[in-house]
Amino acid sequence: MEIVIGTYEGPIISYAAKLSEEINFEPQFVEKSHSGCVKSVACNNRYLATGSSDESIRLLDLHKRVELGALMQHSGTVNCLAFHGSHLLSGSDDGTICVYQCGSWECLKILKGHTAAVTQLSVHPSGVLALSVSRDKTLKTWSLITGKPVHTVNLQTLPDNVIWNTDGSTYAILSDKEILVFQPHSGKPVRTYTSPKRIVSCKFLSPTLLVYGGEMKDITVVEIENNSVQTLSGHNARIKSLDFVRSDVKDHFLLVSVSSDGEIKIWALSQDSHDLIGGTTLNNNRPVCMCVYTGEKKYVKQMTTPAPTLKHQEVKKPKKKKIKRKVLFANIHAIQGGKSITRKLKHKKRYRIIPLALEHTT
């Protein structure tokens, strides 16, 4: 897996963590494309997006290792980024949320409704809804189909973060020293977690497993259903960001944490146990945000030796038998509006209707 870190000084730094008998960290690249502090980073299985106080979003193709350019839609600091499927969402100090098409990078929609800076957003696993919080002390639920807000909640405190859990059954709102866990369509929190000091980052690893850390320097792991708590100690400064990947072992995760002094640590984590398995130090730069890139893989193998190299074997595809079909007649409908074209065919003394796929033309 690859750990990508955005820094206060502006560079984007990447390390590859190779998992074998022990974890080895190898520098991958240092990208200095931003002229300001990097406030947010996000990646999917191919692209990396970084947002900065210079009001731009920089794009990199992690497969080809090339920079793709910049998106300049916002007129304020880009505070948050989120990939979902073939789309990228961004939130900014200008109070708007932009939705881009990956690949062409066309801005498809601009979601307007907040009267102050958008501090964080989170897309529902279905891709139909998104949540956003703002310095106007509101939580908005957006329809990503229409691009309009469908629900607004006035909050009592200034929100810092909002996140869906992995199956979309609950979401959490982070505000200073408190995390409130809600169920959709419920006005009251089902769980409340507090810390003596400010919480900076939080993440759902599963539908019921929540991790968070901040100025306490420790990482707290909470099982929401039974309220069991684990404490991960190892950092000497406040936690700046958390991310994870799933292990090939069921209900096990690899949690990555980075602190303000540049310490990067990797933890093997489950619902009832944890272990620090590796770490490194980022020199001469102050981390602000982080994401973990795994490429095409949905999970990484934990503590295993590399697989042997296999010889390429050519496989001959079997030839398809051609079927003779006699067309009796065809009934062709209008093409406008994407209506279907059907033909009535006769094959082996039986009639059937075969729809022909037709792309919608405008």
Side-chain angles (χ1 to χ4, degrees):
M1 66 180 178
E2 192 169 338
I3 302 168
V4 183
I5 299 173
T7 64
Y8 183 82
E9 291 77 12
I12 303 157
I13 303 172
S14 172
Y15 285 91
K18 296 186 177 181
L19 310 179
S20 55
E21 294 297 330
E22 60 181 15
I23 296 184
N24 297 316
F25 291 87
E26 295 182 1
Q28 294 299 296
F29 64 83
V30 177
E31 179 67 32
K32 299 180 180 180
S33 54
H34 286 293
S35 60
C37 169
V38 179
K39 302 288 288 186
S40 54
V41 294
C43 62
N44 60 5
N45 59 2
R46 179 172 181 176
Y47 299 111
L48 171 69
T50 61
S52 170
S53 59
D54 63 9
E55 303 181 358
S56 70
I57 300 172
R58 295 284 177 172
L59 302 168
L60 288 89
D61 188 325
L62 293 177
H63 285 187
K64 299 179 180 179
R65 300 288 162 168
V66 295
E67 185 177 357
L68 301 177
L71 303 176
M72 306 295 295
Q73 188 69 44
H74 290 294
S75 59
T77 298
V78 181
N79 296 315
C80 50
L81 295 165
F83 279 100
H84 190 278
S86 60
H87 294 86
L88 169 68
L89 285 78
S90 62
S92 169
D93 272 356
D94 60 14
T96 65
I97 298 171
C98 294
V99 182
Y100 303 92
Q101 176 70 50
C102 294
S104 66
W105 304 110
E106 177 188 0
C107 183
L108 303 176
K109 294 183 188 305
I110 300 178
L111 313 185
K112 298 180 180 180
H114 286 295
T115 58
V118 177
T119 54
Q120 195 55 261
L121 61 86
S122 180
V123 183
H124 191 271
S126 67
V128 178
L129 299 173
L131 296 175
S132 65
V133 289
S134 168
R135 294 192 185 122
D136 60 10
K137 291 187 178 181
T138 62
L139 166 72
K140 287 188 180 292
T141 304
W142 302 87
S143 168
L144 296 181
I145 298 175
T146 63
K148 297 180 180 180
V150 295
H151 190 60
T152 301
V153 177
N154 293 317
L155 304 174
Q156 298 298 320
T157 57
L158 191 66
D160 298 316
N161 198 355
V162 60
I163 49 170
W164 285 103
N165 69 350
T166 55
D167 66 358
S169 59
T170 58
Y171 64 90
I173 298 176
L174 167 61
S175 180
D176 194 24
K177 304 175 183 179
E178 186 178 60
I179 297 177
L180 303 177
V181 180
F182 295 85
Q183 290 180 340
H185 311 297
S186 174
K188 295 182 179 180
V190 295
R191 293 285 188 275
T192 301
Y193 302 102
T194 58
S195 172
K197 295 184 179 180
R198 182 172 177 265
I199 302 171
V200 178
S201 180
C202 59
K203 205 84 171 180
F204 273 107
L205 307 188
S206 72
T208 60
L209 200 62
L210 174 68
V211 299
Y212 60 88
E215 294 183 357
M216 282 292 291
K217 304 177 184 179
D218 294 334
I219 301 170
T220 303
V221 184
V222 180
E223 169 59 49
I224 293 177
E225 287 187 344
N226 54 29
N227 275 333
S228 62
V229 178
Q230 300 180 59
T231 302
L232 282 58
S233 300
H235 284 286
N236 298 316
R238 67 180 180 273
I239 308 298
K240 292 294 292 183
S241 186
L242 299 167
D243 205 354
F244 75 100
V245 293
R246 291 181 176 86
S247 171
D248 58 340
V249 182
K250 185 180 180 180
D251 296 329
H252 284 67
F253 309 90
L254 295 180
L255 177 68
V256 183
S257 59
V258 61
S259 55
S260 58
D261 60 356
E263 287 288 333
I264 304 169
K265 296 187 181 296
I266 300 179
W267 313 77
L269 183 65
S270 66
Q271 293 184 357
D272 52 9
S273 65
H274 64 270
D275 186 24
L276 178 62
I277 59 175
T280 188
T281 302
L282 187 68
N283 296 320
N284 303 323
N285 286 280
R286 291 171 288 176
V288 176
C289 49
M290 174 192 62
C291 68
V292 176
Y293 168 72
T294 58
E296 298 292 342
K297 297 180 180 179
K298 295 182 180 179
Y299 59 85
V300 296
K301 292 189 175 181
Q302 176 185 340
M303 304 300 290
T304 57
T305 56
T309 303
L310 302 179
K311 294 182 179 180
H312 177 68
Q313 182 179 3
E314 293 184 359
V315 180
K316 294 183 178 180
K317 296 182 179 180
K319 294 182 179 180
K320 295 182 179 180
K321 294 182 179 180
K322 294 183 179 180
I323 301 175
K324 295 182 179 180
R325 294 175 177 173
K326 184 178 180 181
V327 179
L328 295 183
F329 64 91
N331 182 16
I332 301 179
H333 298 280
I335 295 177
Q336 294 296 330
K339 296 181 181 179
S340 63
I341 296 177
T342 60
R343 289 182 180 177
K344 192 171 183 181
L345 306 179
K346 182 180 180 182
H347 173 57
K348 291 184 179 181
K349 298 181 180 180
R350 293 166 61 182
Y351 292 93
R352 57 186 178 140
I353 300 295
I354 298 180
L356 303 181
L358 178 66
E359 293 184 356
H360 176 72
T361 60
T362 57

